[in-house]
Amino acid sequence: MKTAVNSVKSDSFAVYFSDFKEITKARLAISVVFSSVAGYFLGAVEVNYTSVLLLAFGGYCMVGASNAYNQVIEKDLDALMDRTKNRPIPAGRMSVTTAMTIAVSLTIMGIVALYFLNPKTAMFGAISIFLYTSVYTPLKTKTPLAVFVGAFPGAIPFMLGWVAATDHFGIEPGTLFMIQFFWQFPHFWALGWMLDDDYKKGGFKMLPTGKKDRGTALQIIMYTLWMIIISIIPVFGFTGRLQLSIVAAIVIFLMGLVMLFFAFRLYERRDNGSARKLMLASVSYITLMQLVYVIDKFI
């Protein structure tokens, strides 16, 4: 009997933990934490691992809070789409009150953790939550410009790490911001292309032309080109302490060309398979690019 009770408790915990990961979008949050930590290592003169842990914890809390607020706001729309209908709230496994409690708790813990690093870091973290939940989320059903607005909070993590390490905002974190800002357009438009039919069930307007056409694909190509250019600008010595060797710049340029290849392939074929390959290439690019930046600094 005791074993059965323990088994039920274990299963319940597993469900609660799974729902917590879902409401906070754990994989996305971890990727954001990775970007923030990479930015920290780029900015730090001397690495303080307590600061790294505070940044990672605070970063996860801020992203998790944003996603929890988002799922509360969009609960009725999530129920209409195949990819989101099994989320904790529309599936009935979590109440709105519980989700809001998680969101508010994560907001408070995240801001406090980032404030211990410095007030600027906490401010940018709070701004990202506000823009994501109060501006980007409501705009998703009204205009494709929502992606442009959403690119601002989405671009904060990479620069946030630099600000956390230096307590300074200037050309260096501004450049990191611009890299991730331009990267988001091909990434999210590729994702939006793949999920366009499902997004339409919820009334979301994610593609710039509203269609899976050459116009959307052309804009993806243009933003990919800008992303590549911004990514290698530090090699020219215009970006203060943020520097890049010629070898690292060549590596990043070649990785960008791979992503550009898939962007042109989408323009040519205009199918979901090409969009998926571009999306996967974009995920690989942002991760490897940040690793190259960090490795280049320390070798």
Side-chain angles (χ1 to χ4, degrees), residues 213-234:
D213 59 9
R214 287 187 183 272
T216 289
L218 181 60
Q219 291 197 49
I220 289 173
I221 291 171
M222 292 172 60
Y223 278 95
T224 303
L225 284 169
W226 276 112
M227 178 203 72
I228 295 171
I229 292 169
I230 299 297
S231 294
I232 62 172
I233 274 183

Side-chain angles (χ1 to χ4, degrees), residues 59-299:
Y60 189 99
C61 287
M62 303 304 269
V63 179
S66 296
N67 289 322
Y69 287 128
N70 174 268
Q71 291 183 47
V72 169
I73 295 168
E74 295 181 348
K75 63 183 186 304
D76 295 329
L77 300 179
D78 281 349
L80 302 175
M81 297 182 290
D82 294 334
R83 74 181 188 89
T84 56
K85 64 185 180 182
N86 197 43
R87 283 177 173 174
I89 300 176
R93 297 191 307 273
M94 183 181 293
S95 68
V96 170
T97 301
T98 299
M100 281 298 294
T101 301
I102 291 172
V104 172
S105 299
L106 290 175
T107 301
I108 295 170
M109 290 189 294
I111 291 177
V112 170
L114 297 181
Y115 188 84
F116 275 120
L117 293 169
N118 57 66
K120 289 189 183 71
T121 305
M123 178 191 70
F124 282 121
I127 288 172
S128 71
I129 290 182
F130 173 78
L131 288 177
Y132 189 87
T133 60
S134 300
V135 185
Y136 166 68
T137 296
L139 283 177
K140 286 165 66 179
T141 57
K142 301 184 184 307
T143 172
L145 286 174
V147 174
F148 175 78
V149 174
F152 283 89
I156 286 177
F158 200 16
M159 75 154 205
L160 190 73
W162 185 288
V163 176
T166 65
D167 193 18
H168 173 72
F169 181 84
I171 185 69
E172 299 94 345
T175 302
L176 299 180
F177 177 90
M178 293 302 291
I179 293 170
Q180 199 149 0
F181 179 82
F182 282 104
W183 167 81
Q184 287 178 91
F185 293 95
H187 173 73
F188 282 108
W189 282 336
L191 185 63
W193 189 297
M194 291 167 51
L195 301 173
D196 186 54
D197 292 337
D198 208 26
Y199 273 132
K200 285 178 178 176
K201 294 177 183 177
F204 294 124
K205 306 177 187 298
M206 304 303 290
L207 298 178
T209 66
K211 301 175 182 178
K212 298 194 287 188
D213 59 9
R214 287 187 183 272
T216 289
L218 181 60
Q219 291 197 49
I220 289 173
I221 291 171
M222 292 172 60
Y223 278 95
T224 303
L225 284 169
W226 276 112
M227 178 203 72
I228 295 171
I229 292 169
I230 299 297
S231 294
I232 62 172
I233 274 183
V235 76
F236 299 106
F238 302 145
T239 53
R241 287 205 301 117
L242 181 65
Q243 299 177 2
L244 202 61
S245 69
I246 293 175
V247 172
I250 291 172
V251 171
I252 290 172
F253 179 74
L254 292 175
M255 292 191 303
L257 289 184
V258 172
M259 190 168 157
L260 187 63
F261 167 80
F262 286 111
F264 273 106
R265 180 65 64 86
L266 178 61
Y267 180 83
E268 176 188 359
R269 298 184 177 180
R270 300 188 302 283
D271 62 355
N272 286 349
S274 299
R276 184 175 185 277
K277 289 177 182 177
L278 173 59
M279 188 273 293
L280 293 174
S282 70
V283 172
S284 298
Y285 176 85
I286 196 67
T287 303
L288 294 175
M289 178 274 298
Q290 290 168 348
L291 283 173
V292 170
Y293 262 85
V294 173
I295 292 170
D296 187 58
K297 175 184 175 179
F298 288 99
I299 63 172

